[in-house]
Amino acid sequence: MSTFRTEWSPRKPLERELKFSDTTVTTGSCFADRFGNWMYDNKFSVLQNPFGVSYNPVSIHHQLMLALGGERLRPNHVVTREGTFVHLDFHSDFRHTDEVSLVEQIKTTTENTGRFLNSASWLMITYGTAWVFDYLPTGCTINNCHKLPAKEFQKRLLAVDEIVASFERLRQQIIALRPEVHLLLTVSPVRHVKDTLEGNSVSKAVLRLAVDNIQRKFPDVVYFPAFEIMMDDLRDYRFYKDDMIHPNTLAENYLWEKFEHQFLANTTRMQIEEWQSIKKALAHTPFEPTSAHHQRFLEALLVRLKNIAVALPVAAEVEAVERKLEALKNRSTKS
């Protein structure tokens, strides 16, 4: 036996490769935030979780439908909490002391997201939980209870068919506006232990079965098994943060590596590796900032930046290094 773990690897390369020229929207759970941060850090064009953290599929789909113009904002879901207006369909990042201003804040975000989606190459959705709360006054599933009294809500588990039907409505809407968009689904590896370990297992099972049904119905939808990689490939508490809930940096880097091998061409992966090396060089603090050695270092760094500029948007970094070089040369001339 050559190994004591079950390592995941893609069964076959995808026909669709993620490129630096692509525009991507990530949305959903906190794992979607981490995904978006990784993409942004590697110079991809990405809109990261514009609606804030959202966990259940129905609410995530509703937010995207609002951005696409397929649904309307629910005014009767605006509530007050400690003198601040919030909306039950959105994260607490959306809050204001004035109700009209809150609605405008939400509308601005949905309009901006809609414009981004109209040119998006990829839409990546991460589902976190199948447990939801229905707001009793309206009977609608909401995104966030905002710590309102429990008597105003009813907790329940989404049905697989309910998630699939909700996704189908979203897919129809976005494909009608953007036929070339690639839809990528993931199930968050973050454990929702507040629902109990048993409840978390049931929830993840519902999400995974829903995604499987979606893929069977729509073969063009792609799935990245972040959940399976965390649960079966890594499968050890040393890959979790101190809270024993969230993947740590080592686990995240492993997930990104697996993602790269499934979705990126070899050339793109090499360019990411070069960019990360350049980033370290950009952060370098010279021992002698005015030395000839540092000038040669900056000149070499500028060459590397200009070489990679054919693929990555590094104009700001090129300009910054050119300014440093110019200042160094002027100093040398004066002395």
Side-chain angles (χ1 to χ4, degrees):
M1 188 173 182
S2 60
T3 181
F4 288 91
R5 53 189 280 261
T6 306
E7 183 175 357
W8 176 86
S9 58
R11 283 176 293 181
K12 60 180 181 179
L14 287 178
E15 295 178 3
R16 317 172 193 85
E17 293 175 344
L18 179 62
K19 303 174 183 177
F20 289 112
S21 57
D22 289 338
T23 299
T24 303
V25 177
T26 68
T27 186
S29 79
C30 53
F31 190 69
D33 272 341
R34 302 302 302 149
F35 232 114
N37 288 338
W38 174 82
M39 295 190 70
Y40 179 81
D41 186 58
N42 284 298
K43 290 293 185 177
F44 287 94
S45 175
V46 58
L47 179 63
Q48 306 162 251
N49 232 5
F51 300 110
V53 174
S54 301
Y55 294 107
N56 79 78
V58 169
S59 293
I60 296 168
H61 299 164
H62 173 64
Q63 293 165 353
L64 290 167
M65 288 289 284
L66 285 170
L68 294 166
E71 293 182 9
R72 294 185 178 182
L73 189 68
R74 298 163 179 156
N76 47 2
H77 280 196
V78 176
V79 296
T80 56
R81 190 191 74 183
E82 298 177 355
T84 301
F85 288 93
V86 290
H87 199 291
L88 296 173
D89 297 333
F90 295 90
H91 190 271
S92 56
D93 285 346
F94 294 87
R95 61 184 184 274
H96 208 282
T97 55
D98 175 69
E99 181 177 357
V100 174
S101 298
L102 169 68
V103 172
E104 285 302 313
Q105 181 188 14
I106 293 171
K107 285 184 176 179
T108 298
T109 300
T110 55
E111 289 171 1
N112 289 341
T113 304
R115 283 192 289 270
F116 216 93
L117 284 169
N118 277 324
S119 61
S121 306
W122 290 84
L123 171 58
M124 301 182 181
I125 304 175
T126 301
Y127 300 139
T129 182
W131 287 106
V132 297
F133 289 88
D134 291 341
Y135 186 45
L136 295 178
T138 64
C140 295
T141 297
I142 53 94
N143 178 58
N144 196 317
C145 294
H146 296 293
K147 298 182 179 179
L148 293 178
K151 64 182 181 181
E152 298 185 29
F153 305 95
Q154 180 178 352
K155 185 177 180 179
R156 68 182 179 89
L157 189 68
L158 289 172
V160 170
D161 290 346
E162 188 177 1
I163 297 172
V164 175
S166 176
F167 176 83
E168 184 171 5
R169 290 192 295 272
L170 170 64
R171 181 182 177 278
Q172 288 175 345
Q173 183 74 20
I174 193 167
I175 293 297
L177 296 174
R178 182 72 176 166
E180 58 269 51
V181 72
H182 304 313
L183 299 173
L184 169 62
L185 301 181
T186 63
V187 172
S188 171
V190 178
R191 300 156 67 234
H192 288 247
V193 295
K194 288 183 179 180
D195 295 318
T196 73
L197 289 177
E198 302 95 314
N200 176 69
S201 293
V202 171
S203 168
K204 298 295 187 183
V206 169
L207 294 177
R208 191 61 191 90
L209 186 55
V211 172
D212 184 69
N213 285 5
I214 287 170
Q215 283 192 288
R216 291 175 188 275
K217 194 168 187 176
F218 307 109
D220 59 306
V221 175
V222 182
Y223 175 69
F224 176 64
F227 175 74
E228 287 83 355
I229 293 171
M230 194 72 197
M231 294 297 107
D232 290 295
D233 188 342
L234 299 180
R235 200 179 182 81
D236 194 295
Y237 275 108
R238 73 178 183 271
F239 298 114
Y240 285 88
K241 293 182 179 179
D242 291 344
D243 62 5
M244 299 300 164
I245 294 173
H246 293 84
N248 62 19
T249 301
L250 183 62
E252 286 183 345
N253 288 339
Y254 185 78
L255 286 166
W256 307 154
E257 180 183 325
K258 291 297 185 180
F259 180 84
E260 288 181 15
H261 279 84
Q262 184 173 12
F263 291 96
L264 306 184
N266 288 336
T267 301
T268 306
R269 295 205 302 270
M270 291 170 58
Q271 288 165 336
I272 287 178
E273 186 177 345
E274 169 66 357
W275 165 242
Q276 289 299 323
S277 175
I278 289 173
K279 276 189 66 179
K280 290 180 181 178
L282 288 168
H284 171 68
T285 302
F287 182 70
E288 289 289 347
T290 60
S291 67
H293 174 76
H294 184 54
Q295 180 174 332
R296 290 193 296 272
F297 170 82
L298 290 175
E299 288 170 344
L301 181 56
L302 185 60
V303 170
R304 294 175 68 189
L305 278 167
K306 288 184 176 180
N307 285 339
I308 206 170
V310 298
L312 278 67
V314 293
E317 288 81 4
V318 168
E319 184 180 351
V321 173
E322 286 178 337
R323 284 200 305 267
K324 289 181 180 179
L325 270 172
E326 186 65 27
L328 194 55
K329 290 176 180 178
N330 288 340
R331 185 185 180 92
S332 300
T333 302
K334 290 178 182 179
S335 59

